[in-house]
């Protein structure tokens, strides 16, 4: 059986500012839903696909991320864009996978994906939860939050934690893990509704709308009169500078992302390095693959918290292939709450 596979590509490198709808196009190619004898290819129908800010760096002509890790390699105009997601096997030449198996791994911004040897994907146990959880809270977003907080930040009970972009896919989970661990947690977000979510459903001790705060250094001083022990950074730029100024001795900064710099290279952070030296502040960047040593602890702990209702999954799901560009653009305009993903097809 042959189908027409539709997928999203970029028209040209996205080097300037925020991405726009006109930067993307839908392409088509014929796809035979069978595997040739001797091939180990696995053909899957995409179900849920993750939408992540780091992809913008892949779409640029140059980014330091291109040569550091495979999943951040450059995406050329016209090429399929791969991303983490959930799919169902349609045909398989690999004896480990059968038709109708559910898999999670790197699939495309498209309707179907041909998974070649060497592609990262596997079967999974849904643990009785929606399949979408595999893309967010039980996927790389969850691992990044859990491992970033516990492995990079090394928290102690009672410490004071600040989370930027706290209503995003990673930030909301960091705050929840920190509260469950016994820390004091304040988050920032970009709207009144998001602040209400953080202080209500997600249980943060406090939260503020950074768009209403012209002096971030004074704002953090107000929310942390005794200083910040841990800053989980998803933003970079002025927010990192303000957090470092308000940090305690031996404070830790986990640099998960710098979304403010992805669309404006002029917004580079310049924290006071004297503070870093004399307060002995540790600033560490990290990536989800660095954290695989805690993967099983992460899954076990997170599943337990989900089953007891102590941890909330916050998802923002758009439907249909045509939604990819607008969903991606929305990340840089603060439109998403929680984990952004596309539902490409019904389960």
């Amino acid at each position: 059986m042959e189908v027409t596979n539709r997928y999203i590509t970029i028209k040209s490198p996205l080097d300037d500012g925020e991405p726009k709808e006109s930067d993307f196009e839908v392409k088509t190619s014929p796809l035979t839903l069978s595997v040739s004898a001797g091939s180990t290819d696995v053909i899957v129908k995409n179900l849920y696909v993750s939408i992540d800010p780091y992809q913008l760096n892949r779409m640029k002509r140059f980014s330091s991320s291109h040569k550091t890790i495979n999943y951040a390699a450059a995406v050329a105009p016209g090429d399929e864009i791969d991303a983490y997601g959930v799919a169902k096997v349609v045909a398989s030449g690999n004896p480990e996978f059968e038709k109708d198996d559910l898999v999670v791994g790197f699939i495309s911004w498209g309707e179907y994906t041909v998974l070649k040897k060497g592609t990262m994907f596997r079967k999974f146990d849904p643990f009785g939860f929606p399949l979408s959880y595999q893309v967010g809270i039980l996927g790389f977003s969850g691992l990044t939050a859990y491992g970033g907080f516990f492995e990079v930040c090394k928290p102690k009970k009672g410490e004071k934690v600040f989370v930027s972009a706290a209503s995003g896919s990673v930030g909301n989970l960091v705050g929840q893990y920190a509260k469950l661990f016994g820390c004091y947690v304040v988050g920032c977000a970009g709207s009144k509704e998001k602040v209400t979510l953080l202080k209500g459903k997600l249980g943060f001790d406090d939260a503020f709308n950074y768009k209403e705060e012209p002096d971030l250094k004074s704002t953090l001083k107000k929310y942390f009169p005794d200083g910040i022990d841990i800053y989980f950074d998803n933003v970079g730029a002025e927010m990192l500078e303000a957090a470092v100024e308000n940090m305690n001795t031996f404070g830790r900064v986990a640099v998960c992302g710098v979304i403010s710099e992805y669309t404006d290279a002029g917004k580079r952070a310049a924290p006071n390095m004297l503070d870093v030296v004399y307060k002995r502040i540790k600033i560490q960047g990290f990536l989800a693959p660095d954290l695989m040593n805690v993967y099983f602890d992460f899954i076990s702990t997170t599943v337990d918290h989900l089953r007891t209702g102590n941890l909330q999954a916050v998802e923002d799901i758009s439907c249909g292939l045509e939604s990819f560009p607008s969903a991606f653009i929305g990340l840089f305009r603060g439109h998403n709450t929680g984990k952004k993903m596309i539902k490409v097809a019904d389960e």
Side-chain angles (χ1 to χ4, degrees):
M1 177 182 173
E2 185 176 279
V3 298
T4 298
N5 182 33
R6 298 188 303 153
Y7 57 97
I8 305 293
T9 70
I10 57 172
K11 295 178 181 178
S12 58
L14 276 57
D15 291 325
D16 300 316
E18 290 185 4
K20 307 179 295 296
E21 291 265 4
S22 58
D23 292 325
F24 301 90
E25 62 182 338
V26 177
K27 289 207 165 187
T28 62
S29 63
L31 176 65
T32 301
L33 298 183
S34 61
V35 178
S36 304
S39 170
T40 58
D41 290 354
V42 178
I43 303 172
V44 298
K45 185 175 181 63
N46 303 334
L47 301 179
Y48 292 93
V49 183
S50 178
I51 301 294
D52 301 288
Y54 82 87
Q55 296 277 16
L56 183 60
N57 297 319
R58 301 184 65 202
M59 298 171 185
K60 295 178 180 179
R61 211 177 309 269
F62 171 80
S63 170
S64 58
S65 66
H66 291 173
K67 296 183 179 180
T68 56
I69 194 162
N70 287 343
Y71 76 77
V75 174
D79 285 356
E80 291 189 16
I81 301 164
D82 58 318
Y84 198 70
V86 171
K88 179 178 282 191
V89 175
V90 175
S92 175
N94 185 325
E96 295 182 16
F97 299 91
E98 298 179 355
K99 187 176 185 296
D100 294 331
D101 280 347
L102 290 169
V103 297
V104 63
F106 283 94
I107 56 179
S108 71
W109 283 22
E111 294 174 324
Y112 294 87
T113 307
V114 179
L115 300 173
K116 301 284 188 180
K117 184 178 181 180
T119 304
M120 192 192 85
F121 68 102
R122 60 177 174 80
K123 290 185 278 190
F124 64 90
D125 181 352
F127 300 106
F129 298 117
L131 295 185
S132 57
Y133 281 26
Q134 298 295 322
V135 180
I137 196 166
L138 295 176
F140 274 141
S141 294
L143 177 62
T144 299
Y146 182 91
F149 182 64
F150 290 107
E151 286 292 288
V152 178
C153 298
K154 302 289 186 185
K156 302 179 183 69
K157 292 184 188 301
E159 286 193 313
K160 299 168 183 66
V161 178
F162 174 48
V163 185
S164 58
S167 65
S169 63
V170 174
N172 88 84
L173 294 173
V174 172
Q176 292 187 76
Y177 286 130
K179 280 300 300 175
L180 289 167
F181 184 71
C183 293
Y184 176 82
V185 183
V186 175
C188 72
S191 73
K192 178 181 178 181
E193 293 76 17
K194 291 179 179 180
V195 168
T196 299
L197 172 70
L198 296 177
K199 294 165 65 174
K201 181 180 179 180
L202 302 187
F204 283 54
D205 292 289
D206 217 331
F208 63 90
N209 182 351
Y210 70 89
K211 293 179 181 177
E212 297 176 349
E213 303 293 344
D215 185 345
L216 291 172
K217 293 177 181 178
S218 297
T219 298
L220 289 180
K221 181 65 176 176
K222 178 176 68 176
Y223 283 95
F224 294 96
D226 298 319
I228 299 168
D229 298 303
I230 291 170
Y231 172 41
F232 199 99
D233 187 18
N234 294 298
V235 173
E238 298 96 331
M239 197 69 75
L240 174 58
E241 295 173 16
V244 166
E245 181 164 308
N246 282 278
M247 293 201 78
N248 290 327
T249 303
F250 298 109
R252 286 86 75 205
V253 179
V255 184
C256 177
V258 287
I259 192 169
S260 67
E261 299 182 20
Y262 295 168
T263 56
D264 185 353
K267 275 196 161 187
R268 296 263 166 86
N272 185 333
M273 295 308 292
L274 280 177
D275 279 341
V276 175
V277 172
Y278 284 96
K279 293 182 184 177
R280 285 86 92 198
I281 296 169
K282 176 183 177 182
I283 301 177
Q284 182 178 339
F286 69 99
L287 299 171
D290 302 337
L291 307 168
M292 293 307 294
N293 61 306
V294 298
Y295 178 78
F296 293 107
D297 287 340
F298 150 64
I299 289 293
S300 175
T301 301
T302 303
V303 166
D304 286 347
H305 284 319
L306 284 170
R307 286 177 173 159
T308 58
N310 291 327
L311 195 62
Q312 306 298 318
V314 183
E315 299 180 323
D316 191 335
I317 303 176
S318 298
C319 295
L321 182 86
E322 292 79 7
S323 300
F324 274 100
S326 61
F328 183 62
I329 292 162
L331 293 177
F332 303 96
R333 299 177 180 176
H335 293 174
N336 66 298
T337 301
K339 178 60 193 174
K340 188 67 192 179
M341 67 184 82
I342 303 295
K343 181 180 181 181
V344 183
D346 290 330
E347 299 169 17

